[in-house]
Amino acid sequence: MTTITQKALCHASLNALHHHAGQDGQPPVCFALVDAQGDLLCFERMDGAPVRTINIAIAKAYTAARMGASTRQFRHRLQQENLQCSEFMDSALCALPGGVILPLPNHRFAAIGVSGRALDDDETLALTLVKHLQAHFSK
């Protein structure tokens, strides 16, 4: 059984970010990686990413981890059940798409948050990074 260290996960995540987001011709982003509890493991603000997207990326990752679901799924739940984020008594929750769970082999899970592009594009990039990291760590 291989243990995935925080250092290895952060290193692989940032490499994947720069590989996928650094060369796709779309706007730069902020990227956050959190553990299963929502605690920040690593963060990257690409050159030119708006300052306002820093807290959004972190909140997206935190929300995915805390809710155990993507921020899009959380948003859907809020709409379906006619709820507000504030009803969860956690001011750090965010219902903007772009936060996704990162299930890993022999590891509980982590979560990724991406912000800086259109919401659907943030989510697409986050899902691309998840696929890349799963492939990397399943070797």
Side-chain angles (χ1 to χ4, degrees):
M1 177 189 304
T2 302
T3 301
I4 300 170
T5 66
Q6 178 180 325
K7 181 178 179 179
L9 181 55
C10 288
H11 181 73
S13 296
L14 296 177
N15 283 342
L17 173 69
H18 288 284
H19 174 77
H20 291 284
Q23 302 174 19
D24 64 5
Q26 291 194 50
V29 299
C30 285
F31 165 87
L33 174 71
V34 300
D35 65 17
Q37 290 75 41
D39 294 324
L40 190 63
L41 298 177
C42 65
F43 174 84
E44 177 81 8
R45 178 177 172 221
M46 296 176 70
D47 289 344
V51 172
R52 71 180 178 279
T53 63
I54 293 170
N55 290 334
I56 297 170
I58 295 168
K60 287 178 180 183
Y62 172 86
T63 301
R66 284 295 178 115
M67 298 309 294
S70 73
T71 51
R72 182 175 299 277
Q73 291 168 316
F74 179 55
R75 181 184 198 117
H76 181 71
R77 178 181 177 194
L78 294 174
Q79 292 168 339
Q80 290 296 108
E81 298 179 25
N82 198 28
L83 297 169
Q84 301 294 317
C85 277
S86 60
E87 293 177 278
F88 288 86
M89 305 308 294
D90 187 338
S91 62
L93 294 177
C94 174
L96 298 174
V100 298
I101 295 293
L102 171 59
L104 295 168
N106 304 317
H107 196 270
R108 186 169 169 205
F109 67 81
I112 290 173
V114 173
S115 185
R117 300 177 175 181
L119 295 175
D120 287 341
D121 295 336
D122 285 348
E123 184 178 52
T124 297
L125 177 56
L127 291 169
T128 298
L129 296 173
V130 164
K131 288 179 187 173
H132 180 100
L133 292 167
Q134 286 179 315
H136 176 79
F137 285 109
S138 68
K139 295 177 184 175

